[in-house]
């Protein structure tokens, strides 16, 4: 078992030296590039641009060609009244129609489409922030696992050096064989811990690739994440607050469109071609016609008022969400900054403890040679040092995670 573990650590060290290094920017760029949701927003924006073109085309002249033929036979006096059916008719016409609509109405509909695109663009920016936060969070977690592996490997190297010295002292009778065996058990436990840490590191790395959308199982070394706290803009200058502004404009545009839909509608139409009943001089039945149609809304059960009421309710609901978001935002930022301050304090306090633990280990290492300290006490000292070192590593990772959470809100318009 010991032989297998030794091969494992040699192989791991070789990979650590030769593996390609990748940084946080690499994974973020890959994640943004591979995200189907971001691509979906871009496709929707392109579709809305086509809708804008269709809107313009729909209010231009519409030309249609139509052709109709009918025959109503009268047999022995039985059949449709010829004065009504004309017995047999045929027409082949080209018609042109044009809806007359005010410029303000068209501009309002264009504005509605533009607001949809602005909303999609803003949602895309928020999605980018969400993706960056998730990738950074997983990157920091994976990087922390790598730090744990490297640190515990250093401890094993330290213990291996002590093993040679203690073995000789045990053979000379300076220490009991049972104490030396306890020391060996501690080394084996440390080796098993590293194996578990590496398995967890591989799982965390696979999760990082999964979030990023990478199909890659190769081991790579992660560079130190350049995560530093950034200055936050005013709440109203962030992309998160922008969404409430866009929603408010959408409601106002919808309210205007209701009024436009209740204004009188005027359309012009004309057609030309052949239209005949074949009763008299059918060869002369080529001609044209033109007209105007006016539609004036009079009464629809007060639906216009109801639609305005729905928009009023929608605006009230939007304001409620906006106020709740403002409260949550301020509370969360204050809480994260407090956590960051307390975590930094804990790191500094643990750093002092590590210095004392290191001093104790050095002093006891010298006493090991002379047999003036028990192996059990030395193992306890190493354990205290391990706990303190692991604590400062964990709190450093927690600090980076808190900064990542704070920086999530830093995206300006």
């Amino acid at each position: 078992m010991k032989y297998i573990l030794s091969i494992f650590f040699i192989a791991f060290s070789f990979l650590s030296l030769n593996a390609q290094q990748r940084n946080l920017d690499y994974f973020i760029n890959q994640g943004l590039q591979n995200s189907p949701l971001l691509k979906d927003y871009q496709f929707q924006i392109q579709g809305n641009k086509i809708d804008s073109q269709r809107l313009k085309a729909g209010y231009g002249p519409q030309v249609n060609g139509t052709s109709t033929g009918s025959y109503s036979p009268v047999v022995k006096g039985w059949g449709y009244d010829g004065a009504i059916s004309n017995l047999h008719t045929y027409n082949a016409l080209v018609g042109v129609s044009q809806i007359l609509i005010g410029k303000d109405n068209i501009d309002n509909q264009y504005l509605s489409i533009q607001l949809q695109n602005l909303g999609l663009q803003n949602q895309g920016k928020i999605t980018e922030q969400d993706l960056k936060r998730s990738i950074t969070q997983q990157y920091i977690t994976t990087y922390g696992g790598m730090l744990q592996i490297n640190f515990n490997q250093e401890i094993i190297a330290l213990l291996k050096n002590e093993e040679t010295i203690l073995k000789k002292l045990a053979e000379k009778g300076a220490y009991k064989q049972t104490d030396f065996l306890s020391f060996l058990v501690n080394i084996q436990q440390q080796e098993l811990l590293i194996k578990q840490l590496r398995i967890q590191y591989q799982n965390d790395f696979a999760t990082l690739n999964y979030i990023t959308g990478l199909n890659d199982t190769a081991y790579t070394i992660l560079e130190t994440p350049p995560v530093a706290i950034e200055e936050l803009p005013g709440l109203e200058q962030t992309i998160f607050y922008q969404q409430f502004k866009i929603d408010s404009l959408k409601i106002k545009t919808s309210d205007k469109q209701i009024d436009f839909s209740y204004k009188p509608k005027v359309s012009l139409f004309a057609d030309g071609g052949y239209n005949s009943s074949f009763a008299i001089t059918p060869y002369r039945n080529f001609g044209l016609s033109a007209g105007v149609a006016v539609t004036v809304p009079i009464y629809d059960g007060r639906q216009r008022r109801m639609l305005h009421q729905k928009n009023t309710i929608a605006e009230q609901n939007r304001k409620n969400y906006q106020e709740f978001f403002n409260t949550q935002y301020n509370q969360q930022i204050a809480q994260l900054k407090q956590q960051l301050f307390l975590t930094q304090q804990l790191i500094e306090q643990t750093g002092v403890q590590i210095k004392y633990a290191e001093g104790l280990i050095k002093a006891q290492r010298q006493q090991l040679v002379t047999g003036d300290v028990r192996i059990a006490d030395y193992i306890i000292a190493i354990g205290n040092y391990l706990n303190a070192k692991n604590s400062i590593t964990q709190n450093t990772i927690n600090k980076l995670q808190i900064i990542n959470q704070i920086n999530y809100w830093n995206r300006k318009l």
Side-chain angles (χ1 to χ4, degrees):
M1 178 66 181
K2 185 175 180 180
Y3 177 75
I4 296 175
L5 288 174
S6 299
I7 295 177
F8 169 79
F9 293 128
I10 293 173
F12 180 77
S13 300
F14 178 80
L15 288 173
S16 299
L17 291 173
N18 293 277
Q20 178 186 1
Q21 290 192 354
R22 287 182 177 172
N23 56 25
L24 178 59
D25 288 340
Y26 168 80
F27 287 98
I28 289 179
N29 292 333
Q30 290 294 317
L32 296 178
Q33 181 179 345
N34 295 332
S35 172
L37 185 55
L38 291 177
K39 294 177 182 178
D40 184 12
Y41 288 137
Q42 293 300 320
F43 289 143
Q44 291 186 53
I45 291 173
Q46 293 177 17
N48 285 340
K49 290 180 179 179
I50 294 175
D51 287 339
S52 180
Q53 296 171 356
R54 290 182 63 243
L55 177 64
K56 181 179 180 180
Y59 286 120
Q62 306 295 304
V63 181
N64 296 288
T66 60
S67 179
T68 305
S70 67
Y71 174 63
S72 303
V74 177
V75 181
K76 296 182 179 181
W78 291 87
Y80 292 150
D81 188 341
I84 299 175
S85 67
N86 289 327
L87 300 180
H88 35 75
T89 62
Y90 176 77
N91 65 66
L93 306 172
V94 175
V96 181
S97 61
Q98 171 72 61
I99 298 176
L100 301 182
I101 186 171
K103 183 177 182 299
D104 291 341
N105 190 344
I106 297 178
D107 290 343
N108 193 68
Q109 294 182 57
Y110 281 143
L111 178 60
S112 178
I113 296 175
Q114 291 172 5
L115 289 174
Q116 290 181 32
N117 283 344
L118 286 175
L120 289 170
Q121 291 172 359
N122 199 68
Q123 283 295 329
K125 294 177 182 178
I126 294 175
T127 300
E128 284 185 13
Q129 287 297 93
D130 291 338
L131 190 57
K132 288 179 180 178
R133 178 176 62 176
S134 298
I135 292 175
T136 303
Q137 182 178 358
Q138 186 59 34
Y139 184 97
I140 292 172
T141 299
T142 309
Y143 175 77
M146 189 181 71
L147 291 183
Q148 293 282 8
I149 294 173
N150 293 339
F151 166 68
N152 282 278
Q153 281 184 320
E154 294 175 3
I155 294 299
I156 283 210
L158 172 66
L159 294 178
K160 288 289 185 180
N161 291 334
E162 304 298 339
E163 179 186 0
T164 304
I165 300 173
L166 292 177
K167 183 178 180 181
K168 293 179 180 179
L169 293 173
E171 290 174 349
K172 293 179 180 180
Y175 289 104
K176 296 178 181 180
Q177 288 291 334
T178 54
D179 290 339
F180 179 67
L181 290 175
S182 297
F183 184 81
L184 293 179
V185 169
N186 189 266
I187 293 179
Q188 291 175 353
Q189 289 177 343
Q190 197 66 27
E191 289 174 340
L192 290 174
L193 174 61
I194 291 181
K195 185 176 182 180
Q196 293 174 352
L197 288 173
R198 188 170 188 275
I199 293 173
Q200 182 61 48
Y201 176 73
Q202 289 176 331
N203 290 335
D204 290 338
F205 204 101
T207 303
L208 178 61
N209 283 332
Y210 176 79
I211 295 175
T212 309
L214 291 173
N215 185 17
D216 189 1
T217 58
Y219 169 77
T220 57
I221 297 176
L222 299 181
E223 297 181 7
T224 303
V227 179
I229 191 166
E230 302 176 10
E231 182 180 357
L232 297 179
L235 175 58
E236 295 185 0
Q237 302 302 318
T238 64
I239 55 175
F240 307 97
Y241 196 87
Q242 177 71 2
Q243 194 61 43
F244 295 107
K245 295 180 179 178
I246 294 174
D247 291 340
S248 178
L249 291 174
K250 284 182 178 180
I251 294 173
K252 291 179 180 179
T253 303
S254 174
D255 223 36
K256 288 184 179 180
Q257 198 58 43
I258 293 171
D259 293 331
F260 284 129
S261 65
Y262 278 86
K263 288 187 176 182
K265 296 180 178 61
V266 179
S267 60
L268 305 177
F269 60 88
D271 59 46
Y274 183 76
N275 193 355
S276 175
S277 64
F278 300 104
I280 304 174
T281 60
Y283 58 89
R284 292 185 177 182
N285 294 145
F286 291 93
L288 53 84
S289 67
V292 60
V294 179
T295 303
V296 180
I298 297 177
Y299 180 75
D300 66 350
R302 298 183 178 179
Q303 293 185 45
R304 178 180 183 179
R305 180 182 177 185
M306 297 175 190
L307 292 173
H308 281 306
Q309 288 176 341
K310 283 189 64 177
N311 280 337
T312 300
I313 294 173
E315 175 63 17
Q316 291 174 347
N317 188 43
R318 186 202 63 82
K319 288 182 178 179
N320 183 56
Y321 273 105
Q322 178 179 319
E323 293 171 358
F324 185 74
F325 172 78
N326 293 351
T327 302
Q328 275 195 322
Y329 172 85
N330 294 326
Q331 181 181 1
Q332 188 171 34
I333 294 298
Q335 183 179 358
L336 288 171
K337 288 184 176 180
Q338 184 182 34
Q339 290 178 3
L340 182 61
F341 175 76
L342 296 175
T343 303
Q344 182 61 39
Q345 276 191 332
L346 189 57
I347 291 174
E348 294 172 358
Q349 293 172 0
T350 308
V352 175
Q353 182 183 354
I354 287 177
K355 291 182 180 179
Y356 286 112
E358 287 177 341
L360 180 60
I361 289 176
K362 290 179 181 179
Q364 290 187 346
R365 185 184 301 124
Q366 295 175 354
Q367 293 175 340
L368 277 176
V369 180
T370 60
D372 293 331
V373 66
R374 296 187 308 163
I375 293 179
D377 293 336
Y378 184 62
I379 293 175
I380 292 174
I382 292 177
N384 291 334
Y385 175 72
L386 279 172
N387 292 333
K389 196 72 174 179
N390 286 332
S391 176
I392 202 169
T393 301
Q394 287 294 334
N395 283 302
T396 300
I397 296 303
N398 291 339
K399 175 184 175 181
L400 293 176
Q401 296 287 20
I402 294 171
I403 293 175
N404 179 43
Q405 292 292 334
I406 295 176
N407 288 343
Y408 170 74
W409 303 100
N410 68 354
R411 184 69 181 270
K412 298 180 181 180
L413 296 177

